Amino acid sequence: MRNLKLSPWSYLIITFVILIIAGSFFLMIPGAYSKGNLSYLDALFTSTSAVCVTGLIVTNTSNFTPFGQIIILILIQLGAIGIMTLTSSLYIFLKGELDLSHRIMVAKITDVFGLHEVENILVYIIKYTFIIEFIGAIVLSLGFYISHNTLGDAIYYGIFHSISAFCNAGFSTFDQSLVGTNIIIKLTITGLIVLGGIGYYVIYDLNKFFKSGGRLKLHTKVVLLTSLLLIIMGFMIFSVVESDMNIVDGFFQSVTARTAGFNTIDLTSLHNISKFTLIILMLIGASPGSTGGGVKTTTFFITISSITKVLRGENKIVVFKRQIPYQTILRAFALIFLYLFVDVTATLILLYIYDYNFLEMLFEVTSALSTVGLSLGITTKLTTAGKLVIIACMFLGRVGPAALVMAMLGREKKRVIQYPEEKVVLG
Amino acid sequence: MRNLKLSPWSYLIITFVILIIAGSFFLMIPGAYSKGNLSYLDALFTSTSAVCVTGLIVTNTSNFTPFGQIIILILIQLGAIGIMTLTSSLYIFLKGELDLSHRIMVAKITDVFGLHEVENILVYIIKYTFIIEFIGAIVLSLGFYISHNTLGDAIYYGIFHSISAFCNAGFSTFDQSLVGTNIIIKLTITGLIVLGGIGYYVIYDLNKFFKSGGRLKLHTKVVLLTSLLLIIMGFMIFSVVESDMNIVDGFFQSVTARTAGFNTIDLTSLHNISKFTLIILMLIGASPGSTGGGVKTTTFFITISSITKVLRGENKIVVFKRQIPYQTILRAFALIFLYLFVDVTATLILLYIYDYNFLEMLFEVTSALSTVGLSLGITTKLTTAGKLVIIACMFLGRVGPAALVMAMLGREKKRVIQYPEEKVVLG
Ligand SMILES: [K+]
Ligand SMILES: [K+]
């Protein structure tokens, strides 16, 4: 074992592959599926969708038996508990402890936290996850009970949707997702999505701030500001474009697009502008260290504020009285471009096979890549090749950004040779 | 006059506005149009399209009389002779000479050239333009004469298409553009497009290099490499996706998309992947200081090479043994993002008014914004509101990037207060 030197990001990938394949076999167990035979491809698709907390489906979740649904729920929970925790546990399992090199790796990923805080964070993630999910489940059960479900059903739905929402998984036991549910359910789900999507770093930092005071980290301020602005922006666009959408649904849809994936309205009837807005929200996604996907709020914030500041002629990017290193800015741009490249390439591949509208296919692929799970109905109609492309997108979208950031950090090198600067003409 | 302190980029904008409006009135002169009455909106559209060397049309150029066509040709030539020359001439006209502050401005825009070279370049641009157009006209006249035109017609077509091609204008006296023309014409046009699109800086630098030796500038190397790679890339994608396109047409279409706008094939029948490839090529566009539009080859090259180097963990962006300043990189990213933002916003506005497919509308808007002039047939069908949006796009696309780069250079400021660095977590 000692000679096997794997880079941190390969641990991440291996963990997810094992989890997905194990999940697909569990879903093939007789008695997990109630509508005839589940093909292995569909089991693999469902397992990938659950582990990558995407929520895209090729068969309705209601077609699984309670046993099958609980397998899906466990896969969601394991997948969502976070890249960090998961790889940490694997390390601990393999080496019997969280060794220094790994602790350094985690500290490097988080970047903003000191080395001594790493172990605290890991314990904190687990504790925090279960407390929130527990409270969510109670309120949701109440909501479902009010809507004329039996107490048993209400509790089951409550637990399932609490975990699914907090993990930003978007799986629902209902074929119409949350269309037609009451306001208690919609608002609780919204709250769980936000708490799950804001990222553990922020929660941890806020907790510390309120307990012992001091200064909030730049990361925390950026995440809170960006999340708030994005929710408002999405809500406003939907309000203008979709005249018959009510306030709660507009708000819900704005929150869920960045990356939960539940829906309370029929998406296919939306105007192109709303579909495009949803695509942008899906691309941005949740915050780092969260259960959500996308390029992440911080990445988006850094690129946008760099652009506005550069346009104003400034050459140092300062936000909240802190200077952002050029290195971080370039990484943010690189991440976004690579992400868009994968997104568009996958879309074009699918358009080569299937005859759909570009925007709708882009919607479906972005939903997979950003592990959102919203669908215009294309996914269920795909054949084998298409399903495999979507599976690849879900996997890449979940593991990719974190693996990429780890890889960039791991490869950091200093140039020994210095070259003179020379400009080129732009524009 | 002395108290009127306008920033350099406002000179640029004013010049273009005056030229466009003057052009629209000239086109309204009785006898310029042969098919009934030309509406003022259509005259404005045609004038904008000519001055901004776009080539999008709302009425076939053949509907203008030879007198009208010559007005269009003059507008193309004036618009194309270049932002730099034009604003310089205005300065000279207004102040009687090219003063130092203006010379500094031009030197700043070009960035790569010393102050003493500025006046040389301006003279050079004019000389170079007319020599190339003259040679092009001779060869093209020959080409048209071979295809059974009378000598008079052949010479007229030769001159018109030589200027239109070198200026990357894309206007043609034929309703089907260059569909069905012979190989001499296609190849000569391709050559003129490349020479016009590569930018005066490069031509000037190459000329100096071959005359007096020395080192080629980084700018020149970047432009030549990127242009070559883009032509090959476009050609290869078309070859794979469009099985019935011949080699000459594939090559022609790859060259013309970055921003000439002639076509030798019917574009509406192309596969979505080809349309998307054309959109990307249109977005990238020609090189700085050229007659073409788009974000420019250098901007594209810098972003792509920054991304690949950052992904490899390098923190200094070195190309051809020269380090690119962070400032230049951030400007390149800002330019691309702003460009995409305008492109998509205009597309969504048009989609709000008209019921078209997203990709096709994006194609049309990108064609206007990058002053390309390729069309899927939507532009001719637009009503007043749509025509105004397209006019705005052509104008913004032609003047925008240069004005933006000037504005950024003009606003350059040093921060006095230093703030500590702080990282945020990405991915
Ligand atoms: K999801
Ligand atoms: K053009």
Side-chain angles (χ1 to χ4, degrees), chain A residues 145-365:
Chain A
Y145 188 65
I146 290 173
S147 287
H148 312 291
N149 289 288
T150 64
L151 186 63
D153 281 355
I155 291 175
Y156 179 66
Y157 294 151
I159 293 173
F160 191 98
H161 288 92
S162 177
I163 294 177
S164 183
F166 180 76
C167 296
N168 277 260
F171 274 89
S172 172
T173 50
F174 309 118
D175 295 354
Q176 295 297 312
S177 194
L178 300 175
V179 177
T181 52
N182 64 42
I183 192 166
I184 296 181
I185 296 173
K186 285 179 183 170
L187 291 183
T188 311
I189 295 275
T190 310
L192 286 166
I193 292 171
V194 171
L195 287 174
I198 217 158
Y200 297 111
Y201 312 133
V202 172
I203 304 287
Y204 184 77
D205 193 36
L206 279 176
N207 190 32
K208 234 177 69 175
F209 176 75
F210 285 116
K211 266 190 189 153
S212 32
R215 200 182 69 84
L216 275 179
K217 287 185 194 299
L218 175 62
H219 177 81
T220 305
K221 292 178 189 166
V222 167
V223 167
L224 292 178
L225 178 67
T226 314
S227 303
L228 186 68
L229 289 180
L230 286 174
I231 292 171
I232 294 174
M233 190 202 76
F235 171 69
M236 278 170 52
I237 294 179
F238 295 136
S239 303
V240 172
V241 179
E242 308 291 334
S243 47
D244 53 347
M245 194 189 277
N246 73 48
I247 292 181
V248 175
D249 287 335
F251 176 59
F252 187 93
Q253 216 51 52
S254 178
V255 169
T256 196
R258 293 180 314 107
T259 89
F262 293 104
N263 53 292
T264 56
I265 47 155
D266 177 23
L267 299 174
T268 50
S269 61
L270 290 180
H271 190 278
N272 271 335
I273 295 181
S274 301
K275 285 180 190 163
F276 191 82
T277 306
L278 285 174
I279 291 177
I280 296 292
L281 289 174
M282 292 197 285
L283 282 172
I284 298 170
S287 302
S290 80
T291 49
V295 296
K296 306 293 179 306
T297 49
T298 48
T299 312
F300 177 71
F301 177 88
I302 285 178
T303 51
I304 296 296
S305 59
S306 307
I307 290 167
T308 51
K309 282 177 204 302
V310 165
L311 292 180
R312 274 194 247 119
E314 305 196 10
N315 54 9
K316 288 188 174 157
I317 311 305
V318 174
V319 285
F320 293 116
K321 298 198 176 168
R322 287 292 179 278
Q323 187 179 326
I324 312 280
Y326 284 120
Q327 191 71 354
T328 306
I329 298 171
L330 291 187
R331 277 181 195 152
F333 277 113
L335 192 60
I336 289 186
F337 266 77
L338 205 66
Y339 203 87
L340 288 176
F341 181 76
V342 173
D343 197 21
V344 168
T345 305
T347 303
L348 292 179
I349 290 172
L350 289 174
L351 282 178
Y352 196 68
I353 313 177
Y354 305 98
D355 186 31
Y356 281 103
N357 176 316
F358 180 82
L359 193 70
E360 287 174 0
M361 194 55 100
L362 185 67
F363 187 101
E364 215 73 12
V365 169

Side-chain angles (χ1 to χ4, degrees), chain B residues 7-17 83 87 399 402-403 406:
Chain B
S7 31
W9 55 268
S10 40
Y11 271 92
L12 178 64
I13 291 173
I14 292 168
T15 312
F16 268 78
V17 168
I83 285 166
T87 47
V399 178
M406 282 192 216

Side-chain angles (χ1 to χ4, degrees), chain A residues 53-55 168-170 259-261 371-373:
Chain A
V53 289
T54 308
N168 277 260
T259 89
T371 69
V372 179

Side-chain angles (χ1 to χ4, degrees), chain A residues 26-27 29-35 60-76 152-153 155-157 159-160 172-173:
Chain A
F26 273 105
L27 289 173
I29 294 174
Y33 194 67
S34 65
K35 292 274 163 72
N60 281 329
T61 308
S62 62
N63 293 343
F64 287 91
T65 59
F67 170 62
Q69 292 180 7
I70 288 169
I71 292 173
I72 291 175
L73 206 55
I74 292 171
L75 292 174
I76 290 172
D153 281 355
I155 291 175
Y156 179 66
Y157 294 151
I159 293 173
F160 191 98
S172 172
T173 50

Side-chain angles (χ1 to χ4, degrees), chain B residues 7-234:
Chain B
S7 31
W9 55 268
S10 40
Y11 271 92
L12 178 64
I13 291 173
I14 292 168
T15 312
F16 268 78
V17 168
I18 292 174
L19 199 53
I20 288 169
I21 292 179
S24 68
F25 286 124
F26 273 105
L27 289 174
M28 292 294 284
I29 294 174
Y33 195 65
S34 65
K35 291 275 162 71
N37 282 319
L38 186 66
S39 74
Y40 181 69
L41 183 64
D42 287 353
L44 183 68
F45 191 101
T46 308
S47 177
T48 309
S49 184
V51 172
C52 299
V53 289
T54 308
L56 283 173
I57 46 175
V58 282
T59 174
N60 281 329
T61 308
S62 62
N63 292 344
F64 287 92
T65 60
F67 169 63
Q69 292 181 6
I70 287 169
I71 292 172
I72 291 176
L73 206 56
I74 291 171
L75 292 175
I76 290 173
Q77 186 67 82
L78 288 176
I81 202 75
I83 285 166
M84 268 170 43
T85 339
L86 204 61
T87 47
S88 306
S89 329
L90 187 73
Y91 255 91
I92 295 167
F93 178 73
L94 287 175
K95 307 206 171 178
E97 65 167 325
L98 195 61
D99 68 0
L100 185 68
S101 77
H102 184 239
R103 224 181 283 189
I104 291 173
M105 195 268 286
V106 176
K108 255 194 164 180
I109 302 171
T110 61
D111 239 9
V112 284
F113 292 101
L115 203 58
H116 60 286
E117 286 177 286
V118 168
E119 225 143 329
N120 287 349
I121 292 181
L122 297 181
V123 174
Y124 191 80
I125 292 173
I126 316 266
K127 232 171 63 184
Y128 172 71
T129 301
F130 287 105
I131 292 173
I132 303 279
E133 285 176 355
F134 183 71
I135 298 171
I138 293 174
V139 183
L140 282 176
S141 299
L142 184 75
F144 283 111
Y145 189 65
I146 290 172
S147 288
H148 312 293
N149 289 289
T150 65
L151 186 62
D153 281 356
I155 290 174
Y156 180 68
Y157 295 151
I159 294 173
F160 192 98
H161 289 92
S162 177
I163 294 176
S164 183
F166 179 76
C167 296
N168 277 260
F171 274 89
S172 173
T173 49
F174 309 117
D175 295 355
Q176 295 297 313
S177 193
L178 300 174
V179 177
T181 53
N182 64 43
I183 191 165
I184 296 181
I185 296 173
K186 284 179 185 171
L187 291 184
T188 310
I189 295 275
T190 310
L192 287 166
I193 293 172
V194 170
L195 287 174
I198 217 157
Y200 297 112
Y201 311 133
V202 171
I203 305 287
Y204 183 78
D205 192 36
L206 279 176
N207 191 31
K208 232 176 72 173
F209 176 75
F210 285 117
K211 266 191 190 154
S212 33
R215 200 181 69 84
L216 275 179
K217 288 185 192 299
L218 176 61
H219 178 82
T220 306
K221 292 179 191 166
V222 168
V223 166
L224 292 177
L225 178 67
T226 313
S227 303
L228 187 69
L229 289 180
L230 286 174
I231 291 171
I232 294 174
M233 190 203 77

